[in-house]
C-alpha cells in the first residue's frame, strides 16, 4: 500500500541534493566525505570492515550502484510482496546503503561506507519515501525472519500495534536496531521507532561536532553522528548530498556492523553499550538531551575494555553506558576474537537491564512460531 496521509506514515529524515555533484562525481565524492575523516574510519577499518554481517535497510529500496557491487542482497518489496528490494526511485535508500556498506572503486575513488564488507538487505517499504506503519512492520518482520545482524531505520513517524510488536521482537531476537531521532522543524521531538526501548536513537552533528540544527532533542537520544552535508551513493550510478538524522543513523548502523563483525558473540545490547560507553562526551558532562552519551568513536568502540552492562549496573549508581571506558591495545585486522571477558559476561547476563533511553533486552535469538524460519542469509 502506498502512503496517503502524513499522519499515518513514516517520513524520511534526510534532505538530499542530487545536482550538487558534476557528472557522476566519483572522482570527487571521497574527498567530500568529511565524516570519514572526522570519525577516523581509516583506522577503524584496520580493525574491522563489517565482514560477515548483514544490515537490513527498510527504506525506499536500493538501486544497484558500482560502489555497492557485491554487497547488495536481492531483498524484499514489502509494498507488493515481491522478492526484489533492488529498486529505488527516490535515491534515499541507495544513499543510506552507501553510508553503511559502499566500498568505492579503489584508489580513493567513489563512496566509502563505514562497514565496506558488510552486506545490505534492501527492503522497499515505500517507493516515494513515506511508509505506512504496518508496511514498515512487514519490512522489519522480513529482516527478523532472515536473521540479520543490524536493522537501520532511517525514517520515522507514528507507530501501530503491529509495528511496535515487530520492533520489540527484533530487539528480543538479538538484532541491533538503529533509528533516526527525527528532524526539526517537521519533528518536534524524537520519533518512532527511535522512541522504543532497546532501539539506538541517533541524533546528528555538524562538521564542527556541534549538534546539527536539524537534529531534534530528547531524553531518548543515545548517541549522535555526522548529519550535515553527507555524501553518498544515489540512483543512476550518481551521488547525493544529504542532511538529516537519516544519515547519522546509517553511519551508526555501519558502526554496529563493525562491532558485530569483530565480536560476533557479543549480544546486541552489549553492542549498543559499546557505542554509548565509548562515545565522545559533548555538551554538559554525562548524558544529555542534545547529544545523548556523545559522538560515536569507531576506534574506541572496537578496542576499549568496556565493562558489561550487568557489571556496571551492579556496581555503580550511574546508568549503564555512562562510565569511563579504558582503551585496550588494538588487535590485528581480521581478528574475530577479543573482548572475551565482556562477551562471556554479557552472554551470561540474560534478562532486561534498564539503560538510558529504554530497556535493553539481553535474550537469546528466538525462532518464530510455526514453520521453520528461512535459512540464514549467506554473508
Amino acid at each position: 500500500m502506498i502512503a496517503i496521509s502524513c499522519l499515518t506514515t513514516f517520513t524520511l529524515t534526510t534532505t538530499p541534493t542530487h545536482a550538487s555533484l558534476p557528472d557522476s562525481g566519483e572522482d570527487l565524492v571521497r574527498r567530500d566525505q568529511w565524516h570519514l575523516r572526522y570519525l577516523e574510519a581509516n583506522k577503524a577499518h584496520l580493525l574491522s570492515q563489517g565482514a560477515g554481517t548483514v544490515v537490513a535497510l527498510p527504506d525506499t529500496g536500493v538501486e544497484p550502484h558500482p560502489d555497492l557491487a557485491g554487497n547488495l542482497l536481492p531483498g524484499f518489496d514489502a509494498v507488493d510482496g515481491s522478492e526484489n528490494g533492488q529498486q529505488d526511485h527516490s535515491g534515499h535508500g541507495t544513499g543510506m546503503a552507501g553510508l553503511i556498506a559502499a566500498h568505492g572503486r579503489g584508489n580513493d575513488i567513489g563512496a566509502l561506507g563505514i562497514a565496506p564488507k558488510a552486506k545490505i538487505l534492501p527492503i522497499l517499504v515505500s517507493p516515494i519515501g513515506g511508509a505506512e506503519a504496518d508496511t514498515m512492520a512487514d519490512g522489519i518482520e522480513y529482516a527478523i525472519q532472515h536473521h540479520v545482524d543490524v536493522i537501520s531505520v532511517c525514517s520515522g513517524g507514528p507507530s501501530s500495534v503491529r509495528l511496535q510488536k515487530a520492533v520489540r521482537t527484533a530487539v528480543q531476537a538479538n538484532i541491533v536496531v538503529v533509528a533516526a531521532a527525527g528532524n526539526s522543524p517537521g519533528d518536534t521531538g524524537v520519533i518512532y521507532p527511535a522512541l522504543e526501548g532497546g532501539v539506538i536513537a541517533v541524533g546528528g552533528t555538524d562538521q564542527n561536532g556541534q549538534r546539527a540544527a536539524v537534529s531534534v532533542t530528547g531524553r531518548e537520544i543515545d548517541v549522535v553522528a555526522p548529519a550535515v552535508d553527507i555524501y553518498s551513493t544515489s540512483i543512476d550510478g550518481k551521488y547525493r548530498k544529504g542532511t538529516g538524522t537519516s544519515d547519522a543513523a546509517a553511519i551508526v548502523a555501519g558502526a554496529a556492523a563493525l562491532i558485530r563483525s569483530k565480536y560476533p558473540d557479543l549480544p546486541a545490547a552489549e553492542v549498543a553499550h559499546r557505542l554509548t560507553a565509548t562515545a565522545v562526551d559533548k555538551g554538559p558532562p554525562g548524558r544529555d538531551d542534545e547529544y545523548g552519551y556523545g559522538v560515536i568513536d569507531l576506534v574506541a568502540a572496537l578496542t576499549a575494555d568496556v565493562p558489561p552492562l550487568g557489571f556496571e549496573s551492579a556496581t555503580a549508581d550511574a546508568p549503564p553506558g555512562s562510565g569511563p571506558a579504558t582503551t585496550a591495545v588494538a588487535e590485528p585486522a581480521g581478528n574475530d576474537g577479543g573482548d572475551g571477558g565482556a562477551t562471556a559476561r554479557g552472554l551470561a547476563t540474560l534478562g532486561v537491564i534498564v539503560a538510558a533511553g529504554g530497556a535493553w533486552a539481553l535474550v537469546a535469538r528466538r525462532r518464530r512460531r510455526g514453520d521453520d524460519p528461512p535459512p540464514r542469509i549467506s554473508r
Side-chain angles (χ1 to χ4, degrees):
M1 294 181 290
I2 296 177
I4 57 174
S5 169
C6 63
L7 296 178
T8 58
T9 63
F10 269 43
T11 55
L12 301 178
T13 50
T14 293
T15 302
T17 302
H18 299 279
S20 58
L21 295 174
D23 301 322
S24 60
E26 68 271 5
D27 58 337
L28 303 175
V29 67
R30 186 73 60 85
R31 181 197 67 186
D32 290 327
Q33 288 191 293
W34 66 268
H35 66 281
L36 298 176
R37 296 184 292 276
Y38 182 84
L39 296 172
E40 297 188 315
N42 60 329
K43 294 181 180 179
H45 289 164
L46 296 176
L47 303 163
S48 175
Q49 295 188 32
T53 64
V54 174
V55 181
L57 186 61
D59 210 285
T60 62
V62 179
E63 183 178 289
H65 189 284
D67 296 354
L68 285 164
N71 286 355
L72 191 60
L73 300 169
F76 176 61
D77 183 342
V79 177
D80 66 16
S82 66
E83 297 287 325
N84 180 21
Q86 291 192 14
Q87 51 182 313
D88 184 6
H89 299 291
S90 80
H92 188 271
T94 306
M96 300 305 101
L99 290 174
I100 297 167
H103 48 63
R105 309 183 202 179
N107 299 318
D108 292 332
I109 298 296
L112 183 66
I114 298 296
K117 290 187 178 179
K119 302 289 188 183
I120 295 292
L121 179 66
I123 302 173
L124 193 159
V125 293
S126 172
I128 57 175
E132 291 185 355
D134 283 357
T135 307
M136 178 63 75
D138 275 337
I140 292 174
E141 289 164 1
Y142 183 86
I144 295 168
Q145 291 165 9
H146 287 78
H147 309 287
V148 301
D149 301 287
V150 181
I151 298 175
S152 182
V153 185
C154 300
S155 58
S159 63
S160 67
V161 171
R162 184 179 171 195
L163 179 58
Q164 290 176 359
K165 181 180 179 181
V167 173
R168 292 167 186 171
T169 300
V171 172
Q172 292 171 352
N174 195 33
I175 297 171
V176 179
V177 184
V178 180
N183 291 348
S184 61
D187 300 314
T188 57
V190 179
I191 54 180
Y192 197 85
L195 281 171
E196 182 68 56
V199 173
I200 304 175
V202 183
T205 62
D206 61 20
Q207 295 190 26
N208 297 315
Q210 303 302 309
R211 181 178 69 86
V214 73
S215 181
V216 300
T217 62
R219 63 185 180 84
E220 299 86 3
I221 301 290
D222 293 304
V223 291
V224 291
V228 176
D229 293 341
I230 306 298
Y231 286 80
S232 186
T233 47
S234 186
I235 55 179
D236 300 324
K238 296 183 179 180
Y239 298 89
R240 72 194 292 279
K241 178 175 73 172
T243 290
T245 57
S246 281
D247 301 86
I251 288 169
V252 172
L258 295 182
I259 298 170
R260 299 221 88 166
S261 177
K262 188 170 192 294
Y263 305 115
D265 296 323
L266 201 63
E270 295 289 353
V271 173
H273 178 47
R274 275 192 162 268
L275 288 168
T276 58
T278 60
V280 179
D281 196 11
K282 302 285 291 185
R287 206 217 72 84
D288 63 77
D289 289 355
E290 287 190 281
Y291 299 96
Y293 285 103
V295 183
I296 61 166
D297 185 327
L298 300 179
V299 176
L302 292 168
T303 60
D305 181 10
V306 180
L309 281 168
F311 176 82
E312 285 197 358
S313 62
T315 59
D317 293 330
S322 61
T326 352
T327 300
V329 177
E331 298 177 11
N335 189 336
D336 288 334
D339 200 25
T343 301
R345 290 189 295 271
L347 286 170
T349 309
L350 298 178
V352 177
I353 296 176
V354 176
W360 297 96
L362 297 183
V363 296
R365 184 172 287 172
R366 300 174 180 173
R367 287 188 175 184
R368 292 165 60 93
R369 292 184 178 180
D371 297 334
D372 288 337
R376 294 182 183 275
I377 295 169
S378 176
R379 262 59 172 169

